[in-house]
Amino acid sequence: MGALKRDRMTKEERMIALLNRQPLDRVPVWGMMAGFAALNVGYTIADAYGRRGIEAVQWTAEQYGFQDVPIAGSLGVYEFGGEMSRPSGEFDQAPIVTRYPAATEEQARKLEVPDVRRAGLLPRCMETTKAMQRQGAEYLVLMLVGSWDMASYICSLENVCRWAVRKPDLVHNVLRVSTDFLLQVARYWADVIGPDRLIIFSPHAQTSNHVVSPKMFQEFCLPYIKETHHRVLDMGYKHILCHICGEHNLNLPFWAQIPMGEPGIVHFGHEVDLDVASKHFPSHILMGNVNTAVIQTGTPQQVYEMARACIEKGRRHPGGYMLAPGCEMPPRAPPHNVWTMMKAISDFGWYE
Amino acid sequence: MASDSRTKEMLKELHDAVLAFDEDRTTELCHTVLREGIDAYRAVAEGLSQGMNSASDRYEKMEYFVPELLLCSDALYAGLDILKPAVLASGKRTGTKGSIVIGVVEGDIHDIGKNLVKTMFEAAGWTVYDLGKDVKLERFVEEQARTNSEIVAISALMTTSMLAMPKAINMLREKGSKARVLVGGAPLNADVARKFGADGYAPSAATAVEEATKLIEALKKQRQQG
């Protein structure tokens, strides 16, 4: 393995060109980094979820040639009155909920949308976005967790799953409040920052068919995601990056009905074949879907081959393609395996 | 004492009630079992447990998903709570298939999958020692030694927490444990499981019992030969 080809576009130029369907120097790569970036620059994994996480992502993106920018946004736990703890142990990866805001039916019934200008982590998230804007960032990212996922952070996934069968009205109430909250957050960011440069990052891990049936997806997820996306796009946002990791094959016809912008970005885990995804989303940018377990435990050759296969499939897709891990970059992934993804780009991802 | 045909009818109804995740009906039927003198052991083994096995089959076929399995599990446990005292009083043992220590590794609190696996083992007549979630690795070693369980089942849902698995397996081996280690969880696959030194891998709750049964048979054969 030799040296990598030198980029002919900056990270910003490449992203703007991708979103505007213009020619690119090479396939872009989004590292989906949080903990990996923090550890990469010598910080702790907990730092990924604080102020130091911003520079960690920026420095690591520069080092590897990734498109990543810091993502501002919250899961709803603090905002609705719950508590979380940051990762700290040897095997921790992400913050965990230590107290759900509405773990009982009565609490779920009484949920109200908090003031998004003051609640929980949102003031700090707004400061992050403003700081990025002051730095002159060409694109910024605001996270709006999907309503079903937010409901699971507010009430616990087990509760939401049980109630969806036993007490569907209760789940619809939580989803209604979650959706209203998300829309108010989007409105607030649009008013203060402006929607032009903001990409909405919308994760939906808990809606996979590892968890819910397509029927349940259709009843409890689809209407709220559709509504959120329609209204967010009406606010002037241009692009929604939908993070659909896990087994989503049975949900693909529903996802295809959901507006994501022109173009949107659809990010898949390794469970969804990119050729299949291409048929469902011909005009959106596809993103993914290198198996994170292979990045973590595989050999560099395995990562290289897997990235090559993704690049070759992605390049056939008419809407554009961005290489990425299928989910968050494993924080303790061997750095050489991560670099190998860029080696595969250098060898197979050039358009010129 | 209930007739054979009545017993069979009740076993089917218990099966169907668990499969339909009808907790109230399951409870009502279990009280009827006791009232009519139907063999409580058979009601558990051939009624409730078979209902959970059928639910597991439906999960494999993607006809049931996590919500349905959770509710079937609730119905199963509601029935077991009623029938277990009668089974124990009858002197018949339910934990005859083997024993298993199970837990979610340190750093990981995702336990829905582990709880469903636990339910499948209990439904299949195994004795289960559940360590819970975010389990310190030495607890797997201590509990296996205390219970002399044949299987240690370790679950992880994150690419970082799964790195605790090879460490836990090494700790078991260093202590001389002959138990077979079964691993599972979203980021794993058979290759990763092998690389971690696990003896078996279950891609879903539905396949865990079958995989553990194979491991325990191999273990027994090895003991007979050794």
Side-chain angles (χ1 to χ4, degrees), chain A residues 22-39:
Chain A
Q22 291 165 352
L24 306 175
D25 56 349
R26 62 163 169 86
V27 170
V29 184
W30 197 299
M32 291 292 293
M33 304 176 296
F36 177 81
L39 295 177

Side-chain angles (χ1 to χ4, degrees), chain A residues 1 300-301 303-304 307 335-345:
Chain A
M1 288 184 182
Q301 288 72 25
V303 176
Y304 183 77
H336 187 70
N337 279 359
V338 178
W339 176 85
T340 299
M341 290 171 62
M342 292 311 294
K343 175 65 182 159
I345 286 287

Side-chain angles (χ1 to χ4, degrees), chain A residues 57-347:
Chain A
V57 167
Q58 291 173 322
W59 295 342
T60 307
E62 184 183 9
Q63 174 190 345
Y64 281 97
F66 290 165
Q67 300 300 136
D68 299 54
V69 292
I71 297 175
S74 183
L75 302 171
V77 177
Y78 286 112
E79 291 70 26
F80 283 92
E83 287 172 9
M84 300 185 79
S85 70
R86 282 193 202 176
S88 57
E90 182 184 356
F91 304 111
D92 293 2
Q93 178 159 342
I96 57 171
V97 182
T98 51
R99 187 168 58 78
Y100 289 100
T104 67
E105 292 180 24
E106 193 186 352
Q107 289 169 331
R109 209 167 282 120
K110 289 180 177 167
L111 269 182
E112 286 179 6
V113 178
D115 180 350
V116 297
R117 291 164 305 171
R118 293 180 180 81
L121 300 178
L122 291 175
R124 209 180 76 195
C125 293
M126 176 56 83
E127 286 313 307
T128 299
T129 311
K130 283 180 178 171
M132 298 287 303
Q133 193 178 37
R134 278 196 298 272
Q135 287 177 18
E138 294 283 338
Y139 58 101
L140 307 154
V141 180
L142 169 64
M143 179 171 74
L144 296 179
V145 177
S147 299
W148 174 271
D149 283 51
M150 182 162 278
S152 77
Y153 286 116
I154 294 172
C155 304
S156 93
L157 182 59
E158 275 199 44
N159 275 337
V160 175
C161 283
R162 283 191 170 94
W163 294 342
V165 178
R166 298 277 187 237
K167 315 230 174 211
D169 290 347
L170 188 60
V171 176
H172 281 298
N173 181 58
V174 178
L175 292 167
R176 182 69 264 152
V177 174
S178 300
T179 304
D180 290 343
F181 170 77
L182 293 166
L183 291 170
Q184 289 189 27
V185 171
R187 179 80 268 161
Y188 179 40
W189 255 254
D191 289 346
V192 176
I193 305 294
D196 294 345
R197 291 183 183 181
L198 273 165
I199 297 170
I200 300 292
F201 173 67
S202 181
H204 300 271
Q206 313 286 16
T207 65
S208 84
N209 301 132
H210 282 140
V211 182
V212 298
S213 64
K215 187 168 174 281
M216 204 172 260
F217 182 92
Q218 193 176 11
E219 178 180 350
F220 293 99
C221 309
L222 179 65
Y224 297 97
I225 302 170
K226 249 186 187 175
E227 178 190 341
T228 304
H229 287 202
H230 268 300
R231 293 181 58 184
V232 159
L233 293 170
D234 285 346
M235 288 177 201
Y237 291 95
K238 302 274 191 308
H239 313 284
I240 299 173
L241 192 171
C242 255
H243 171 63
I244 310 173
C245 70
E247 172 52 76
H248 269 279
N249 283 291
L250 298 176
N251 292 337
L252 292 179
F254 301 123
W255 282 112
Q257 300 171 23
I258 296 172
M260 299 184 193
E262 290 298 334
I265 306 171
V266 205
H267 179 205
F268 294 102
H270 68 275
E271 294 86 348
V272 175
D273 186 280
L274 287 173
D275 286 339
V276 174
S278 179
K279 288 178 186 141
H280 286 276
F281 307 94
S283 63
H284 289 319
I285 297 160
L286 297 185
M287 175 173 161
N289 52 357
V290 183
N291 188 333
T292 52
V294 175
I295 298 174
Q296 176 66 67
T297 64
T299 62
Q301 288 72 25
Q302 286 172 317
V303 176
Y304 183 77
E305 280 307 311
M306 200 162 273
R308 181 182 62 80
C310 289
I311 294 163
E312 287 176 354
K313 285 183 180 184
R315 288 187 62 160
R316 289 199 289 269
H317 174 64
Y321 172 66
M322 187 150 52
L323 184 72
C327 195
E328 182 191 344
M329 181 71 81
R332 297 182 193 280
H336 187 70
N337 279 359
V338 178
W339 176 85
T340 299
M341 290 171 62
M342 292 311 294
K343 175 65 182 159
I345 286 287
S346 182
D347 292 348

Side-chain angles (χ1 to χ4, degrees), chain A residues 45 89-94 296 329-332, chain B residues 106 157-164 187:
Chain A
I45 197 159
E90 182 184 356
F91 304 111
D92 293 2
Q93 178 159 342
Q296 176 66 67
M329 181 71 81
R332 297 182 193 280
Chain B
E106 189 178 338
L157 208 84
M158 314 288 275
T159 46
T160 303
S161 60
M162 76 175 182
L163 299 177

Side-chain angles (χ1 to χ4, degrees), chain B residues 104-147:
Chain B
V104 180
V105 288
E106 189 178 338
D108 204 325
I109 58 151
H110 301 89
D111 63 351
I112 293 180
K114 183 272 294 173
N115 290 338
L116 291 173
V117 171
K118 174 190 170 186
T119 305
M120 297 306 173
F121 276 98
E122 289 190 328
W126 288 57
T127 303
V128 181
Y129 300 98
D130 181 10
L131 297 174
K133 58 191 176 185
D134 194 13
V135 178
K136 295 283 177 207
L137 304 189
E138 53 271 24
R139 286 288 300 124
F140 287 99
V141 181
E142 290 163 2
E143 191 67 357
Q144 191 281 324
R146 187 186 74 76
T147 61

Side-chain angles (χ1 to χ4, degrees), chain A residues 35-48:
Chain A
F36 177 81
L39 295 177
N40 179 56
V41 302
Y43 295 162
T44 67
I45 197 159
D47 289 331

